[in-house]
């Protein structure tokens, strides 16, 4: 963790979690399937990650990819996942829910936050799908979220930087604004200097080739647009260290 900035790294494997810890991250966001933007990981993944890292692990509570409008049965799954993650060592939780008209689902969030107590909770990038970010931010503050992860309602945190800056000014320290989305060595300095934030979120990943020698290129385990079975994206300890060093050098 840098002196002035806290780096959160999103990971979906034990290898990535270890790389984040070794590289100097201050916190891990633990998910499965970052290809879908992150969904709830298994309890097994949480337990093994906790054995190998020393930094706090915040666990994603998201029952599926896609939008953030949940059915009653999906909410049942979220409640059960919160219970399980709390029981198996989560240091914090990450969740979010919206109404059909693009507002924060205050009733559902209040219910889920009550289930999460006493753990701190981050509102994830469902925020980037809201109709009115200024109104949504006030709702998150009143509900008691610790922080909000956002790309400033744009395709990346760099593109959304003007809104991120306004959100920091609006928050006035009442909630942590954490930029995330496309943050890399090339743009981190501009984002940190241009927003006055104290935390940032990144994946710091590189592509790692599969160790498989025999390969059947005719078969794909997912949809046609899914990633190859013979490569995976993992957090790169060198990238984590580089991002950390950039943050440390900003006064």
């Amino acid at each position: 963790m840098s002196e002035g900035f806290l780096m959160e790294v999103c990971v979906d494997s034990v290898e990535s979690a270890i790389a984040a810890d070794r590289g100097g991250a201050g916190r891990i966001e633990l998910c499965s399937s970052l290809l879908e933007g992150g969904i709830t990981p298994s309890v097994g993944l949480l337990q093994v990650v906790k054995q190998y890292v020393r930094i706090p692990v915040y666990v994603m509570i998201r029952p599926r990819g896609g939008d953030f409008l949940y059915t009653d049965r999906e909410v049942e799954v979220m409640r059960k996942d919160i219970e399980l993650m709390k029981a198996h060592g989560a240091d914090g939780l990450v969740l979010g829910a919206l109404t059909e008209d693009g507002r924060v689902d205050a009733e559902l969030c209040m219910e889920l936050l009550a289930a999460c107590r006493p753990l701190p909770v981050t509102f994830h990038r469902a925020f980037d799908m809201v109709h009115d970010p200024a109104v949504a931010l006030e709702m998150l503050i009143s509900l008691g979220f610790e922080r909000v992860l956002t790309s400033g309602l744009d395709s990346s945190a760099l593109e959304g930087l003007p809104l991120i800056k306004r959100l920091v000014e609006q928050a006035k320290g009442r909630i942590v604004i954490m930029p995330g989305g496309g943050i890399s060595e090339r743009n981190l300095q501009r984002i940190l200097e241009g927003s006055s934030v104290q935390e940032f979120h990144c994946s710091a990943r590189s592509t790692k080739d599969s160790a498989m020698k025999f390969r059947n290129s005719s078969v794909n385990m997912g949809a046609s647009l899914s990633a190859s079975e013979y490569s995976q994206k993992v957090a790169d300890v060198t990238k984590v260290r580089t991002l950390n060093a950039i943050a440390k050098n900003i006064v």
Side-chain angles (χ1 to χ4, degrees):
M1 192 173 101
S2 72
E3 194 66 28
F5 297 95
L6 186 142
M7 170 171 47
E8 177 180 274
V9 179
C10 55
V11 307
D12 58 5
S13 68
V14 179
E15 182 179 354
S16 290
I18 292 169
D21 191 15
R22 288 182 178 165
R27 182 173 60 238
I28 285 167
E29 179 194 81
L30 186 65
C31 314
S32 283
S33 192
L34 281 172
L35 197 62
E36 291 186 272
I39 58 175
T40 307
S42 71
V43 170
L45 180 58
L46 172 61
Q47 288 181 308
V48 177
V49 164
K50 288 289 291 182
Q51 288 174 25
Y52 286 98
V53 305
R54 304 154 297 168
I55 57 178
V57 178
Y58 278 40
V59 178
M60 174 68 74
I61 303 294
R62 186 180 177 215
R64 56 162 172 78
D67 66 32
F68 303 101
L69 181 65
Y70 296 115
T71 65
D72 290 345
R73 286 178 180 172
E74 287 171 335
V75 172
E76 280 185 58
V77 173
M78 294 170 83
R79 279 200 299 257
K80 180 57 71 175
D81 281 335
I82 288 167
E83 186 184 311
L84 287 168
M85 298 307 169
K86 282 174 69 178
H88 290 91
D91 298 292
L93 298 163
V94 183
L95 56 85
L98 304 179
T99 61
E100 62 183 12
D101 57 353
R103 300 175 202 282
V104 173
D105 188 334
E107 187 179 345
L108 176 53
C109 285
M110 194 179 300
E111 178 190 329
L112 296 176
L113 281 166
C116 292
R117 289 192 190 104
L119 296 185
V121 185
T122 299
F123 192 92
H124 57 44
R125 286 188 62 201
F127 186 84
D128 290 323
M129 303 298 190
V130 299
H131 174 70
D132 186 327
V135 171
L137 185 66
E138 292 302 323
M139 178 58 70
L140 298 186
I141 291 166
S142 68
L143 286 167
F145 281 91
E146 181 184 68
R147 73 177 49 72
V148 56
L149 171 63
T150 180
S151 62
L153 277 66
D154 217 318
S155 57
S156 71
L158 186 61
E159 297 291 327
L161 192 55
L163 177 59
I164 291 169
K165 189 171 190 293
R166 290 201 301 275
L167 291 170
V168 171
E169 290 165 356
Q170 180 185 339
K172 293 186 175 68
R174 294 174 295 161
I175 190 172
V176 176
I177 307 296
M178 180 169 64
I183 290 181
S184 70
E185 311 92 292
R186 295 184 301 280
N187 59 30
L188 177 61
Q189 184 168 348
R190 280 178 65 190
I191 291 166
L192 295 182
E193 290 181 342
S195 62
S196 304
V197 297
Q198 294 301 308
E199 302 186 3
F200 65 97
H201 172 99
C202 59
S203 62
R205 294 189 296 169
S206 294
T207 301
K208 177 185 173 185
D209 193 42
S210 168
M212 287 293 294
K213 290 188 170 62
F214 173 76
R215 302 186 180 197
N216 181 357
S217 58
S218 302
V219 178
N220 195 304
M221 291 293 123
S224 58
L225 294 176
S226 63
S228 164
E229 272 70 51
Y230 300 113
S231 71
Q232 60 182 128
K233 295 246 184 205
V234 293
D236 183 329
V237 69
T238 304
K239 285 192 174 186
V240 177
R241 283 180 179 143
T242 300
L243 289 160
N244 206 24
I246 291 168
K248 278 184 174 173
N249 286 328
I250 295 172
V251 178

